[in-house]
Amino acid sequence: MAAPARRLCHVAFHVPTGQPLAKDLHRLFGFQPLAVRETGGWKQLALRSGDAVFLVNEGSGPGEPLYGLDPHHTVASATNLCFDVEDVDGAARALAARGCAVPVPPTSVKDAQGTAIYTVVNSPAGNLSFTLLQRAGYRGSFLPGFRRLPCTPGPCWVSHVDHLTLACTSGSSPTLRRWFQDCLGFCHLPLSPGEDPELGLMVSAGPGRGGLRLTALQIPADSTVPTLVLAESLPGPTNKQDQVEQFLARHRGPGLQHVGLYTPNIMEASEGMMKAGGRFLTPPEAYYQQPGKEEQIIAAGHKPSLLERQGILLDGNKDMFLLQVFTKSLFTEDTFFLELIQRQGATGFGQNNIRALWQSVQEETARAQGA
């Protein structure tokens, strides 16, 4: 591997001036402002919930935003993943030797709290770039060049990033999997017994709906890097676009479709976010009427009526359960959403929940189009 990732530092977004992402993350989803930088035509605001940090780059300037790259993308988008690495200089050389474009060479940034070195590498996943960061000696609250903001108490609904899901073009997952393996040290994480890494997990969305191919990747257990999930559409019997294809069209190519945020209490988190004005997808009515679903929910220690009221999906068996709920898009272009996830022993992603999410998004799209 060229540059083994050790920890996710932050997820960065590029939005136009006035776009409300930063306000929504704070007001609706409980993220607290952490640090800010305003110069050169950019406002960069870092927000945190637990160990999950989002960096919102707003505006545009003559140069690049600090610790990132301006992709000149046509829609608001999640555009950069920043990982801690041990040796930025060595990583940049190794990646360049593999043919990777390194538009920002190793750069040192210093302030009174210490020094950080970073480089930015392009990825084969659309407009998504990767910042590799070396900051072992930095003592500040975020990164050099940013001004720390006053610490204010927040609801603490989210503890960390559980996973990152990329929407990919059909047939591209094997190539992307090899790139993440060779360049950043990811390896295949089977989602079903005996799963072929070249094929991934194929999930049917139901009769007449096509389906998904999911390929999960992870870093060895000594890191705290979230699971990376590659999602691509399986051909269906109709020409109607599914949500991955809709993302590719609206986003103008592959990219980061959603971030899964881990919460220790999904009931409390989703209820708090809803009361604050957060909007969530409504599962299909039939989801909670499936044979055995009520017994499954009770076995997991929850009340079926409460989960249904809040739109929370539950999958699993015995003592291994997974609870998930999904927000509506945070952008008008429908190019990014958040997921809340709580694990009760489960490590996968729940095939029944994937089907329910698929149908929920399809129904939401139909309602938005007046169908």
Side-chain angles (χ1 to χ4, degrees):
M1 71 195 76
R6 298 194 304 177
R7 180 177 179 271
L8 177 69
C9 175
H10 61 258
V11 179
F13 301 80
H14 279 68
V15 300
T17 301
Q19 205 280 345
L21 175 62
K23 291 180 180 179
D24 288 347
L25 289 172
H26 174 55
R27 181 173 59 89
L28 306 180
F29 302 110
F31 279 72
Q32 301 302 309
L34 172 65
V36 67
R37 174 180 179 269
E38 295 183 77
T39 186
W42 293 98
K43 178 179 180 181
Q44 298 180 267
L45 177 64
L47 303 101
R48 166 180 282 166
S49 182
D51 287 334
V53 178
F54 288 162
L55 177 61
V56 180
N57 297 318
E58 183 177 334
S60 61
E64 307 294 354
L66 196 58
Y67 301 104
L69 186 70
D70 182 2
H72 305 291
H73 204 57
T74 54
V75 297
S77 180
T79 59
N80 179 274
L81 300 177
C82 179
F83 292 109
D84 285 329
V85 297
E86 186 172 351
D87 178 9
V88 164
D89 288 320
R93 288 194 300 270
L95 289 166
R98 288 185 176 272
C100 297
V102 184
V104 180
T107 302
S108 179
V109 186
K110 184 178 182 179
D111 66 15
Q113 302 301 314
T115 302
I117 306 170
Y118 77 96
T119 189
V120 182
V121 58
N122 288 337
S123 85
N127 71 324
L128 191 66
S129 64
F130 290 87
T131 295
L132 306 180
L133 178 70
Q134 183 179 335
R135 55 169 181 175
Y138 187 67
R139 303 178 302 277
S141 60
F142 182 53
L143 290 171
F146 281 75
R147 173 172 55 86
R148 181 178 180 176
L149 294 173
C151 181
T152 56
C156 298
W157 290 320
V158 170
S159 62
H160 62 276
V161 174
D162 179 87
H163 63 275
L164 304 153
T165 297
L166 305 184
C168 310
T169 55
S170 181
S172 67
S173 293
T175 299
L176 290 173
R177 177 185 62 80
R178 287 189 288 271
W179 188 89
F180 282 109
Q181 174 180 307
D182 295 342
C183 294
L184 297 178
F186 283 86
C187 60
H188 178 232
L189 171 64
L191 296 176
S192 63
E195 178 185 315
D196 186 337
E198 289 292 307
L199 299 177
L201 173 67
M202 289 180 278
V203 181
S204 172
R209 293 195 181 97
L212 276 179
R213 183 195 309 275
L214 299 178
T215 305
L217 307 171
Q218 66 176 1
I219 297 287
D222 59 348
S223 79
T224 57
V225 175
T227 299
L228 187 65
V229 182
L230 309 177
E232 64 175 71
S233 297
L234 294 174
T238 71
N239 293 324
K240 187 175 181 180
Q241 286 185 331
D242 59 48
Q243 60 261 40
V244 172
E245 293 166 331
Q246 289 168 0
F247 175 93
L248 295 174
R250 293 166 179 170
H251 185 260
R252 313 292 194 269
L256 186 64
Q257 182 206 39
H258 76 268
V259 172
L261 298 171
Y262 189 86
T263 174
N265 190 329
I266 198 168
M267 301 292 293
E268 178 184 324
S270 61
E271 184 176 15
M273 292 177 184
M274 287 178 184
K275 286 182 178 178
R279 300 185 305 142
F280 289 79
L281 289 175
T282 302
E285 290 185 8
Y287 177 82
Y288 300 98
Q289 278 70 54
Q290 296 177 80
K293 179 57 68 175
E294 181 175 350
E295 292 79 5
Q296 184 186 42
I297 293 173
I298 293 172
H302 300 279
K303 294 183 178 180
S305 60
L306 292 181
L307 263 63
E308 183 172 6
R309 187 184 72 191
Q310 294 180 215
I312 296 172
L313 309 178
L314 182 143
D315 203 0
N317 55 66
K318 296 182 180 179
D319 58 349
M320 300 177 66
F321 296 96
L322 178 75
L323 295 96
Q324 297 164 284
V325 66
F326 305 87
T327 74
K328 294 185 179 181
S329 177
L330 275 61
F331 300 138
T332 57
E333 297 87 358
D334 290 338
T335 54
F336 180 80
F337 62 89
L338 298 173
E339 170 187 344
L340 296 180
I341 184 168
Q342 180 182 341
R343 298 182 181 276
Q344 295 179 197
T347 58
F349 291 97
Q351 295 188 39
N352 290 331
N353 286 2
I354 292 169
R355 294 187 187 96
L357 170 63
W358 186 279
Q359 187 175 347
S360 300
V361 175
Q362 297 302 99
E363 292 178 359
E364 178 68 23
T365 300
R367 284 191 292 269
Q369 295 173 345

PDB file of all heavy atoms in Angstrom, residues 66-79:
ATOM      1  N   LEU A  66      -7.713  25.880   2.309  1.00  0.00           N
ATOM      2  CA  LEU A  66      -6.685  25.220   3.091  1.00  0.00           C
ATOM      3  C   LEU A  66      -7.090  23.776   3.396  1.00  0.00           C
ATOM      4  O   LEU A  66      -8.246  23.510   3.744  1.00  0.00           O
ATOM      5  CB  LEU A  66      -6.445  25.991   4.388  1.00  0.00           C
ATOM      6  CG  LEU A  66      -5.162  25.693   5.163  1.00  0.00           C
ATOM      7  CD1 LEU A  66      -3.922  25.933   4.308  1.00  0.00           C
ATOM      8  CD2 LEU A  66      -5.105  26.549   6.429  1.00  0.00           C
ATOM      9  N   TYR A  67      -6.159  22.851   3.242  1.00  0.00           N
ATOM     10  CA  TYR A  67      -6.335  21.425   3.470  1.00  0.00           C
ATOM     11  C   TYR A  67      -7.248  20.757   2.444  1.00  0.00           C
ATOM     12  O   TYR A  67      -7.717  19.636   2.665  1.00  0.00           O
ATOM     13  CB  TYR A  67      -6.863  21.143   4.887  1.00  0.00           C
ATOM     14  CG  TYR A  67      -5.944  21.678   5.952  1.00  0.00           C
ATOM     15  CD1 TYR A  67      -6.261  22.840   6.645  1.00  0.00           C
ATOM     16  CD2 TYR A  67      -4.743  21.040   6.239  1.00  0.00           C
ATOM     17  CE1 TYR A  67      -5.398  23.355   7.605  1.00  0.00           C
ATOM     18  CE2 TYR A  67      -3.874  21.545   7.193  1.00  0.00           C
ATOM     19  CZ  TYR A  67      -4.209  22.708   7.874  1.00  0.00           C
ATOM     20  OH  TYR A  67      -3.345  23.207   8.818  1.00  0.00           O
ATOM     21  N   GLY A  68      -7.501  21.422   1.333  1.00  0.00           N
ATOM     22  CA  GLY A  68      -8.377  20.813   0.344  1.00  0.00           C
ATOM     23  C   GLY A  68      -8.064  21.263  -1.054  1.00  0.00           C
ATOM     24  O   GLY A  68      -6.988  21.783  -1.358  1.00  0.00           O
ATOM     25  N   LEU A  69      -9.054  21.063  -1.905  1.00  0.00           N
ATOM     26  CA  LEU A  69      -8.922  21.354  -3.315  1.00  0.00           C
ATOM     27  C   LEU A  69     -10.275  21.825  -3.810  1.00  0.00           C
ATOM     28  O   LEU A  69     -11.307  21.240  -3.476  1.00  0.00           O
ATOM     29  CB  LEU A  69      -8.507  20.070  -4.053  1.00  0.00           C
ATOM     30  CG  LEU A  69      -8.178  20.158  -5.530  1.00  0.00           C
ATOM     31  CD1 LEU A  69      -6.870  20.920  -5.726  1.00  0.00           C
ATOM     32  CD2 LEU A  69      -8.039  18.746  -6.101  1.00  0.00           C
ATOM     33  N   ASP A  70     -10.303  22.897  -4.579  1.00  0.00           N
ATOM     34  CA  ASP A  70     -11.554  23.370  -5.161  1.00  0.00           C
ATOM     35  C   ASP A  70     -11.812  22.566  -6.429  1.00  0.00           C
ATOM     36  O   ASP A  70     -11.091  22.700  -7.414  1.00  0.00           O
ATOM     37  CB  ASP A  70     -11.453  24.864  -5.487  1.00  0.00           C
ATOM     38  CG  ASP A  70     -12.749  25.410  -6.061  1.00  0.00           C
ATOM     39  OD1 ASP A  70     -13.729  24.647  -6.169  1.00  0.00           O
ATOM     40  OD2 ASP A  70     -12.794  26.605  -6.399  1.00  0.00           O
ATOM     41  N   PRO A  71     -12.843  21.698  -6.432  1.00  0.00           N
ATOM     42  CA  PRO A  71     -13.054  20.841  -7.600  1.00  0.00           C
ATOM     43  C   PRO A  71     -13.782  21.537  -8.736  1.00  0.00           C
ATOM     44  O   PRO A  71     -13.982  20.945  -9.792  1.00  0.00           O
ATOM     45  CB  PRO A  71     -13.925  19.710  -7.027  1.00  0.00           C
ATOM     46  CG  PRO A  71     -14.733  20.393  -5.967  1.00  0.00           C
ATOM     47  CD  PRO A  71     -13.822  21.449  -5.371  1.00  0.00           C
ATOM     48  N   HIS A  72     -14.215  22.805  -8.527  1.00  0.00           N
ATOM     49  CA  HIS A  72     -14.982  23.541  -9.535  1.00  0.00           C
ATOM     50  C   HIS A  72     -16.192  22.719  -9.981  1.00  0.00           C
ATOM     51  O   HIS A  72     -16.504  22.641 -11.170  1.00  0.00           O
ATOM     52  CB  HIS A  72     -14.103  23.909 -10.738  1.00  0.00           C
ATOM     53  CG  HIS A  72     -12.867  24.674 -10.371  1.00  0.00           C
ATOM     54  ND1 HIS A  72     -12.910  25.974  -9.902  1.00  0.00           N
ATOM     55  CD2 HIS A  72     -11.554  24.308 -10.371  1.00  0.00           C
ATOM     56  CE1 HIS A  72     -11.675  26.392  -9.646  1.00  0.00           C
ATOM     57  NE2 HIS A  72     -10.846  25.406  -9.910  1.00  0.00           N
ATOM     58  N   HIS A  73     -16.835  22.083  -9.001  1.00  0.00           N
ATOM     59  CA  HIS A  73     -17.966  21.214  -9.298  1.00  0.00           C
ATOM     60  C   HIS A  73     -19.225  22.053  -9.478  1.00  0.00           C
ATOM     61  O   HIS A  73     -19.371  23.121  -8.877  1.00  0.00           O
ATOM     62  CB  HIS A  73     -18.156  20.209  -8.165  1.00  0.00           C
ATOM     63  CG  HIS A  73     -18.860  18.956  -8.566  1.00  0.00           C
ATOM     64  ND1 HIS A  73     -18.415  18.140  -9.578  1.00  0.00           N
ATOM     65  CD2 HIS A  73     -19.988  18.375  -8.099  1.00  0.00           C
ATOM     66  CE1 HIS A  73     -19.232  17.109  -9.712  1.00  0.00           C
ATOM     67  NE2 HIS A  73     -20.199  17.224  -8.819  1.00  0.00           N
ATOM     68  N   THR A  74     -20.157  21.539 -10.280  1.00  0.00           N
ATOM     69  CA  THR A  74     -21.329  22.343 -10.644  1.00  0.00           C
ATOM     70  C   THR A  74     -22.423  22.341  -9.588  1.00  0.00           C
ATOM     71  O   THR A  74     -23.323  23.170  -9.651  1.00  0.00           O
ATOM     72  CB  THR A  74     -21.915  21.832 -11.968  1.00  0.00           C
ATOM     73  OG1 THR A  74     -22.182  20.426 -11.850  1.00  0.00           O
ATOM     74  CG2 THR A  74     -20.935  22.051 -13.110  1.00  0.00           C
ATOM     75  N   VAL A  75     -22.390  21.399  -8.635  1.00  0.00           N
ATOM     76  CA  VAL A  75     -23.412  21.350  -7.591  1.00  0.00           C
ATOM     77  C   VAL A  75     -22.737  21.226  -6.234  1.00  0.00           C
ATOM     78  O   VAL A  75     -21.589  20.790  -6.121  1.00  0.00           O
ATOM     79  CB  VAL A  75     -24.382  20.159  -7.795  1.00  0.00           C
ATOM     80  CG1 VAL A  75     -25.145  20.305  -9.090  1.00  0.00           C
ATOM     81  CG2 VAL A  75     -23.642  18.828  -7.762  1.00  0.00           C
ATOM     82  N   ALA A  76     -23.461  21.634  -5.175  1.00  0.00           N
ATOM     83  CA  ALA A  76     -22.961  21.453  -3.814  1.00  0.00           C
ATOM     84  C   ALA A  76     -22.675  19.971  -3.594  1.00  0.00           C
ATOM     85  O   ALA A  76     -23.441  19.100  -4.012  1.00  0.00           O
ATOM     86  CB  ALA A  76     -24.000  21.958  -2.812  1.00  0.00           C
ATOM     87  N   SER A  77     -21.574  19.683  -2.908  1.00  0.00           N
ATOM     88  CA  SER A  77     -21.115  18.300  -2.891  1.00  0.00           C
ATOM     89  C   SER A  77     -20.171  18.044  -1.725  1.00  0.00           C
ATOM     90  O   SER A  77     -19.487  18.950  -1.254  1.00  0.00           O
ATOM     91  CB  SER A  77     -20.387  18.012  -4.217  1.00  0.00           C
ATOM     92  OG  SER A  77     -19.899  16.691  -4.284  1.00  0.00           O
ATOM     93  N   ALA A  78     -20.162  16.774  -1.269  1.00  0.00           N
ATOM     94  CA  ALA A  78     -19.108  16.316  -0.367  1.00  0.00           C
ATOM     95  C   ALA A  78     -17.911  15.963  -1.233  1.00  0.00           C
ATOM     96  O   ALA A  78     -17.999  15.070  -2.070  1.00  0.00           O
ATOM     97  CB  ALA A  78     -19.580  15.100   0.422  1.00  0.00           C
ATOM     98  N   THR A  79     -16.811  16.677  -1.086  1.00  0.00           N
ATOM     99  CA  THR A  79     -15.744  16.608  -2.086  1.00  0.00           C
ATOM    100  C   THR A  79     -14.403  16.076  -1.592  1.00  0.00           C
ATOM    101  O   THR A  79     -13.514  15.852  -2.409  1.00  0.00           O
ATOM    102  CB  THR A  79     -15.488  18.005  -2.675  1.00  0.00           C
ATOM    103  OG1 THR A  79     -15.120  18.887  -1.595  1.00  0.00           O
ATOM    104  CG2 THR A  79     -16.710  18.549  -3.367  1.00  0.00           C
TER     105      THR A  79
END
